[in-house]
Amino acid sequence: MLKGRHLIDPMDFSLEEIEEIFKLADQIILNPESYIHSCDGKILATLFYEPSTRTRLSFEAAMLRLGGKVIGFSEPSSSSVAKGESISDTIRTIACYADIAVMRHPKEGAPRVASMYSDIPLINAGDGGHQHPTQTLTDLLTIKSKKKNLSNLTIGLCGDLKFGRTAHSLIKAMSRYKNNKFILISPKELKVPDYIRREVLEKNNIEFVEVERLEDVIGMVDILYMTRVQRERFFNEEDYIRLKDSYILDGEKMKNANDEMIILHPLPRVNEISYEVDNDPRACYFGQAKYGMYVRMALIAKMLGVK
Ligand code: CP
């Protein structure tokens, strides 16, 4: 039962509950007109303390397509956060106006703190370099739709694995399915944080390797998950400039990938996938963005407990 719950971490929902969300998302994809009044009279609040295109707008589109309405702010400077209001007071106030809320925040753990004061279901839409559970639902639905399975896969994650919250959440989530393996491709400065290596991978005896060269492993992966180097999380610009073009996936590299591989990217991309790759049938990142809207429709409906 997902009604009334918060979603802060990818592990907050059981595999069965996630499957329920996917089942509903598939039904919505097949028959969207059946759901246009599901959220009549309901209000979603979007509280974005950091920039976003996909997450905020796909949540908004999702609620509007379910017949609900949306309020919120897309940057804290346009809200009373700019006057120094605390996160707990903001969420207590928003709970007086809305039925469900989505929060993105630059500080790790901020949505978790907000959820402790929230009388309405709260969804973490990305907290700093920590977690991004609804991107993970998007990624899992895309993988399931394209590969027909969430098990027995070799997943290559490439780029900024230190600050990339989508990578952290995906590793956590895919570690729960049987016989998945990870190839973690990053410069040594941008390797996955220790807590992911120790508490997720090693603790669960998940097979993984850490490498620096994409060229050496591209032929071994079923899924290549490219990520952007997260400029906004760096302490100095020099390091960002040195590392930002560590990986550029282009047509030449794609020649060594297998025909069934799929390329995912949470987007936005900066330079890490050449535009020439967009026409490759294995490039799934814009389709992935669309799955993001459908899975958020299913998530909202489940968390509100509407038919
Ligand atoms: N994937 C993702 O979180 O994109 P936005 O930052 O545009 O929301």
Side-chain angles (χ1 to χ4, degrees), residues 78-238:
S78 64
S79 76
S80 282
V81 174
K83 302 175 202 161
E85 186 167 59
S86 68
I87 206 163
S88 54
D89 285 0
T90 299
I91 193 68
R92 280 183 195 160
T93 307
I94 294 299
C96 302
Y97 309 144
D99 301 287
I100 186 167
V102 181
M103 176 182 284
R104 171 170 288 186
H105 202 286
K107 284 204 180 122
E108 285 84 356
R112 167 83 62 206
V113 172
S115 71
M116 294 171 186
Y117 295 90
S118 180
D119 289 337
I120 58 173
L122 180 69
I123 299 168
N124 176 6
D127 60 327
H130 190 215
Q131 300 294 331
H132 193 343
T134 68
Q135 179 63 48
T136 301
L137 290 176
T138 300
D139 301 340
L140 296 188
L141 182 62
T142 309
I143 294 168
K144 192 164 183 270
S145 303
K146 299 287 175 191
K147 305 298 281 183
K148 309 294 171 217
N149 209 338
L150 288 165
S151 304
N152 304 309
L153 295 165
T154 300
I155 305 131
L157 293 104
C158 179
D160 183 351
L161 306 186
K162 177 179 181 182
F163 296 117
R165 58 195 174 199
T166 61
H168 305 161
S169 289
L170 186 62
I171 293 170
K172 267 188 162 183
M174 288 301 279
S175 293
R176 300 167 93 187
Y177 296 92
K178 280 197 190 111
N179 201 30
N180 286 331
K181 299 174 191 142
F182 295 93
I183 301 181
L184 306 174
I185 311 147
S186 74
K188 55 183 177 314
E189 296 92 334
L190 299 178
K191 285 163 81 164
V192 289
D194 277 348
Y195 82 91
I196 295 284
R197 197 177 301 107
R198 274 199 320 268
E199 290 166 33
V200 181
L201 296 169
E202 290 171 356
K203 192 172 164 186
N204 295 300
N205 294 317
I206 309 288
E207 198 176 320
F208 74 99
V209 287
E210 295 182 283
V211 300
E212 287 188 37
R213 282 171 48 86
L214 173 59
E215 295 86 333
D216 295 345
V217 294
I218 194 166
M220 301 174 193
V221 301
D222 301 306
I223 297 155
L224 179 59
Y225 195 87
M226 296 297 294
T227 63
R228 171 179 70 93
V229 175
Q230 306 271 305
R231 181 181 202 158
E232 62 276 32
R233 315 267 178 241
F234 275 73
F235 295 112
N236 72 68
E237 185 73 3
E238 266 173 42

